[in-house]
């Protein structure tokens, strides 16, 4: 996916659930809805990934590299954010 997509879309993010995997991290499920136009999976990823991305090389530290997207409707995308720990 292209991380350089620029957009003027009005996007609202709503948490719809979280699966806790203990010391291995969690998956956070979000519904991204565009209020003023079509929202593609690439646009949703480009909006959300920079907000959640974290990197580390420290043992036991939190990191977040992965955001998955699933098109729900023309203006909505379900996103799965993988929160992890460097075990």
């Amino acid at each position: 996916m292209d991380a350089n997509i620029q957009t003027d879309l009005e996007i609202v993010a709503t948490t719809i659930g979280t699966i806790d995997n203990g010391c291995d991290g969690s998956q956070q499920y979000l519904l991204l809805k565009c209020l003023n136009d079509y929202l593609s999976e690439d646009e949703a990823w480009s909006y959300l990934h920079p907000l959640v991305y974290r990197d580390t090389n420290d043992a036991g530290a939190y990191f977040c590299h992965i955001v998955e997207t699933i098109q729900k409707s023309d203006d909505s995308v379900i996103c799965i954010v993988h929160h992890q720990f460097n075990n």
Side-chain angles (χ1 to χ4, degrees), residues 1-14 30-34 39-53 67 69 77 79:
M1 290 184 207
D2 185 356
N4 296 318
I5 294 174
Q6 298 297 315
T7 181
D8 292 324
L9 301 176
E10 294 179 46
I11 298 173
V12 175
T14 304
L30 299 163
L31 176 65
L32 270 55
K33 182 172 180 71
C34 183
L39 180 63
S40 71
E41 288 186 54
D42 285 343
E43 290 167 327
W45 186 91
S46 294
Y47 170 80
L48 187 57
H49 191 262
L51 298 176
V52 299
Y53 182 86
V67 173
T69 58
V77 176
C79 297

Side-chain angles (χ1 to χ4, degrees), residues 5-75:
I5 294 174
Q6 298 297 315
T7 181
D8 292 324
L9 301 176
E10 294 179 46
I11 298 173
V12 175
T14 304
T15 299
I16 55 177
T18 301
I19 297 175
D20 186 351
N21 297 318
C23 66
D24 291 327
S26 64
Q27 286 82 44
Q28 179 183 19
Y29 293 79
L30 299 163
L31 176 65
L32 270 55
K33 182 172 180 71
C34 183
L35 303 178
N36 63 339
D37 204 349
Y38 174 82
L39 180 63
S40 71
E41 288 186 54
D42 285 343
E43 290 167 327
W45 186 91
S46 294
Y47 170 80
L48 187 57
H49 191 262
L51 298 176
V52 299
Y53 182 86
R54 301 291 180 274
D55 195 18
T56 186
N57 290 325
D58 298 335
Y62 167 80
F63 69 96
C64 181
H65 294 168
I66 301 170
V67 173
E68 295 180 82
T69 58
I70 304 162
Q71 193 77 44
K72 183 177 182 302
S73 65
D74 285 349
D75 65 352

